[in-house]
Amino acid sequence: MTYRRAVIPAPVGGLLITLLLWWAGTSAQALQLRGSTSVFDVDSVNELRRWLMPWSYDSAVALPSDGSVDAGTGGDTGYAGLYSTGMQIRFVAVFAFFLAGTLLLLRRIPPARGRTPATLLALWAWGPVSATLAVTVSAPWLIASRGHGSYRVLPQLAGVIASSGPVPVFAGLLTALLTVLVARVSTKGAEALPRRDVPTRAARLAASVGTAVVALSLVVLSYQSVAAWIQTSFSGASLLSEPGDLLRQWLLLGAWTGPATTSLGHWLLYRAADVLLLAVVWWSLRLLPGLLTRTTVPAMAVGAVCATVLGLLASQVLHRAVDDTAAVWGPVHVFSTLGTGVPAALTFGVTAGPAALATLRLAGDRDPLPSSVVPA
């Protein structure tokens, strides 16, 4: 798919996900109405408010009310202005990041010749990634608007990055559906590159190497003792002396420990979610070289990021399916973990993609193109 054809569905998708997140943010005010607890229980209302607040323009609710900012004074206007600027940057960044990723994905995985399901899943996974990047870019303004931006900067930054929540996951799904529909209309009459046959041995080896990179985070770094060392090994009194919380966000895909405090069967049941994550990543990386019109480094990197996010979402759904806390906390709690771990998925996905591509090249796959087809 040429960029000329992708330039139509990509802005449509970027605009839609931005509007959906903006609409979700404005809906946060409805949860403060007196009758909201008659529709949802108190725990569900609090959980929904946590989901929606990262996308809300309501600075009166977001800014602290503990006396650190003088409400009703001129100083409060300055903090509210910083908050408004941060939110403007956040929504513009969501549009820009989703637009850039969608252009690349539609270019390399056009919704034609059996690639439509892969395109849909990739665009869906790119939604939470775009939201995470946008939250990260806008974090300094949001931290400064709280009135104590110089205190524990990196832990505050980690908290803001982790606040994206499940909303981008649902917004990304709706956006992906519409974007694929518009893209299919745009590709009518265009000659798409056929799916090529990648040597089985090379594809499996490349997928195994890429999955091993992701497993480094999921199996090694996410182990409780290692994760605790990462988070607590940095200490001191200087301004940038506390990167532990920030590293945890960008390096850990999960958290697990040995079956010392629980039965082996129960422990294995919870580890099935981790196995599912790695299985989804391996299978996605196994198919990715054949789905791409050309196996370039950016395409493999973005594709690996999307594969890792899809595996993460699958594992979180399975984890909640075997968990029995939904009956205690309510149905909203079932989706509370969706979207967590996306920063780490971005970190190791970007690494896994080029590693898989290098392995693919070393294994003998040179990405030949049909002589009758000249890529636009």
Side-chain angles (χ1 to χ4, degrees):
M1 187 176 188
T2 63
Y3 284 118
R4 181 175 59 85
R5 293 181 179 272
V7 80
I8 299 175
V12 171
L15 183 61
L16 178 60
I17 192 171
T18 304
L19 291 176
L20 287 175
L21 292 176
W22 176 83
W23 173 77
T26 57
S27 301
Q29 299 178 358
L31 296 175
Q32 300 177 3
L33 299 178
R34 182 175 300 176
S36 60
T37 54
S38 63
V39 180
F40 302 100
D41 59 88
V42 176
D43 293 328
S44 297
V45 169
N46 292 332
E47 185 68 17
L48 288 173
R49 185 180 293 115
R50 182 184 69 83
W51 291 10
L52 301 178
M53 281 312 301
W55 308 101
S56 175
Y57 264 99
D58 189 0
S59 60
V61 177
L63 293 181
S65 58
D66 56 358
S68 59
V69 176
D70 296 329
T73 65
D76 181 66
T77 303
Y79 287 113
L82 279 174
Y83 183 85
S84 177
T85 300
M87 293 306 299
Q88 291 171 9
I89 294 173
R90 178 168 298 185
F91 283 107
V92 171
V94 166
F95 176 82
F97 283 122
F98 191 85
L99 174 66
T102 302
L103 282 173
L104 179 61
L105 289 171
L106 291 178
R107 166 73 167 165
R108 295 305 177 197
I109 314 178
R113 294 184 179 270
R115 294 186 175 101
T116 301
T119 308
L120 176 62
L121 292 175
L123 291 178
W124 179 27
W126 188 248
V129 175
S130 302
T132 297
L133 292 173
V135 167
T136 303
V137 169
S138 62
W141 285 266
L142 273 298
I143 293 174
S145 68
R146 296 171 181 172
H148 45 78
S150 62
Y151 176 70
R152 292 175 59 86
V153 177
L154 298 184
Q156 286 191 79
L157 183 59
V160 173
I161 293 172
S163 67
S164 178
V167 174
V169 177
F170 300 112
L173 179 57
L174 294 176
T175 302
L177 289 170
L178 181 62
T179 305
V180 168
L181 289 176
V182 177
R184 286 187 64 87
V185 174
S186 300
T187 55
K188 283 187 176 181
E191 183 179 4
L193 291 175
R195 293 182 59 175
R196 65 187 186 90
D197 293 328
V198 181
T200 303
R201 178 180 175 275
R204 290 177 178 174
L205 186 60
S208 300
V209 171
T211 305
V213 174
V214 177
L216 174 65
S217 171
L218 184 65
V219 178
V220 179
L221 300 183
S222 294
Y223 187 66
Q224 189 177 50
S225 59
V226 180
W229 179 84
I230 291 174
Q231 191 166 2
T232 60
S233 60
F234 300 91
S235 60
S238 62
L239 181 63
L240 302 179
S241 63
E242 299 170 333
D245 287 340
L246 190 61
L247 288 175
R248 175 174 54 85
Q249 291 296 328
W250 293 95
L251 295 180
L252 307 186
L253 275 172
W256 67 282
T257 184
T261 59
T262 185
S263 63
L264 179 61
H266 194 261
W267 181 83
L268 290 175
L269 185 62
Y270 274 86
R271 297 286 69 77
D274 299 335
V275 174
L276 177 62
L277 191 158
L278 295 178
V280 170
V281 171
W282 187 90
W283 186 250
S284 300
L285 293 179
R286 164 68 178 83
L287 299 177
L288 185 60
L291 291 169
L292 294 173
T293 56
R294 291 193 65 185
T295 52
T296 60
V297 173
M300 286 293 293
V302 173
V305 169
C306 294
T308 309
V309 172
L310 288 174
L312 191 64
L313 294 176
S315 68
Q316 290 167 353
V317 171
L318 179 60
H319 190 274
R320 285 303 177 188
V322 301
D323 199 350
D324 57 354
T325 58
V328 179
W329 296 101
V332 177
H333 184 69
V334 175
F335 305 103
S336 61
T337 59
L338 286 179
T340 59
V342 173
L346 178 61
T347 301
F348 287 91
V350 167
T351 309
L357 179 60
T359 305
L360 200 65
R361 294 288 184 261
L362 292 175
D365 182 74
R366 298 300 175 186
D367 193 10
L369 291 176
S371 58
S372 60
V373 178
V374 179

